Amino acid sequence: MTETSKQDPSTPQLDTAKVRADFPVLQREVRSGVPLVYLDSAATSQKPVQVIQAMDDYYRKHNANIHRGIHTLAEEATASYEGARQKVADFIGGVKAREVVFTRNTTESINLVAYSWGRKNLKAGDVVILTEMEHHSNLVPWQMLAAEIGLQLEFIPVTKEGLLDLDAYRQLLELNPKLIAFMHMSNVLGTINPAKEIISLAHAAGALVLVDGAQSVPHFPVDVKDLDADFLAFSSHKMCGPTGLGVLYAKEALLEAMPPFLGGGDMIKRVQLRSFAANDLPHKFEAGTPSIAEGVGMGAAIDYLNSVGMEAVYAHEKQIIAYALERLEEVPGVWVFGPELEHKGGVASFTFEGVHPHDVAQIVDELGVAVRAGHHCAMPLHEKFDIPATARASFYLYNTEADVDQLIEGLYRVKEIFG
Ligand code: PMP
């Protein structure tokens, strides 16, 4: 037991052995005698057997297209898919199911807002505020829109400690922005941004707010009503669910006033040769056959996370990141980016003096440790810190302190090789 393992008894506990037994991939060896240590959950999480089985069961027994059929299978498939939407609505704080739009991923959710809300409500010269730590998925859609209609993009600076500079933000708000779009938690720095404060300041200045919840919704309780976010985007695949399904939450009145994003089947009520009437929410934004099995899988993922408890997930990750930061500090030449533990979720991005992050990732992989190396879709943030790339260890509910120990052993191996 380390110092960090000793927990406050009031902190919700997670039974790691039980959780790990739910994830089949964690039982595998990367090569003979080398078990997998998966530290890449910020890229995509592993899937518990409950999710795999739900999707298998759907394809074996219930597969049909939804919404349009009257037969039993179509009704069952529709009930499962719409049931998953209700689970998502409950999971993010009890919003209405009609406020939950299924997309392909966080990226598509943000693009939907830029394309539909942005094109309708923004005009040349309007200010949109982003941050310097954004993922490309919350930069490029706004850059594309800016190029098309002439927006003024502004950026909340990141301090050298890896936090958003809120004084600079307050000044930017004097430009009367129309929208603030920011990440709730950074996939590189691990910074958990003060979302509630950012949102209330934005609203006081008359702006709407989009929260990129790709790294927050999977890792700690997010109550979108309490936050009062106008838009929230996240992905199923980072929260124990399948790829191919994303979520866009938006306040009902905003969705009602937004034009459809894609046109086709299912998003209409009535079609004539030269016109159409759009469907009710949320179907207005879901053209064509959706990712049905993936919706079912996402529903199972939410059931799974609820059964563990999001408070317990967060407390567990806090414990693991605390231990990881402590141990990473021991390794000579390792430099961890991002803020102090107090402001940080389960992500540790680091450089290793004199060694390219790709070499780090390759060497620790020999010990079964999966970490990511690169710019993690945040090139401007890496440029700001004047580094081309980092290696990133990211944690989830199934990681243990022993996983961190294996990473550290791998880093000593790097040191041995590179001297
Ligand atoms: N935003 C953040 C903060 C992310 O970490 C990611 C995924 N790395 C995304 C957006 C994009 O998610 P997706 O690829 O599922 O669209």
Side-chain angles (χ1 to χ4, degrees), residues 218-279:
H219 297 281
F220 50 87
V222 173
D223 182 331
V224 77
K225 275 176 149 173
D226 180 54
L227 288 178
D228 200 21
D230 300 291
F231 301 102
L232 173 72
F234 55 99
S235 295
S236 149
H237 72 93
K238 293 186 198 280
M239 52 190 291
C240 299
T243 53
L245 192 103
V247 174
L248 173 67
Y249 156 82
K251 288 179 181 164
E252 188 174 9
L254 290 169
L255 287 176
E256 287 289 8
M258 281 160 58
F261 173 41
L262 301 171
D266 237 27
M267 52 70 72
I268 49 81
K269 239 184 203 152
R270 200 169 35 80
V271 180
Q272 292 172 314
L273 279 181
R274 295 181 194 281
S275 63
F276 72 95
N279 207 342

Side-chain angles (χ1 to χ4, degrees), residues 17-25 27 47-50 52 304 308:
K18 186 164 172 283
V19 165
R20 287 180 67 80
D22 288 331
F23 289 80
V25 79
Q27 328 306 325
K47 321 302 173 198
V49 71
Q50 290 84 344
I52 298 166
Y304 184 76
V308 176

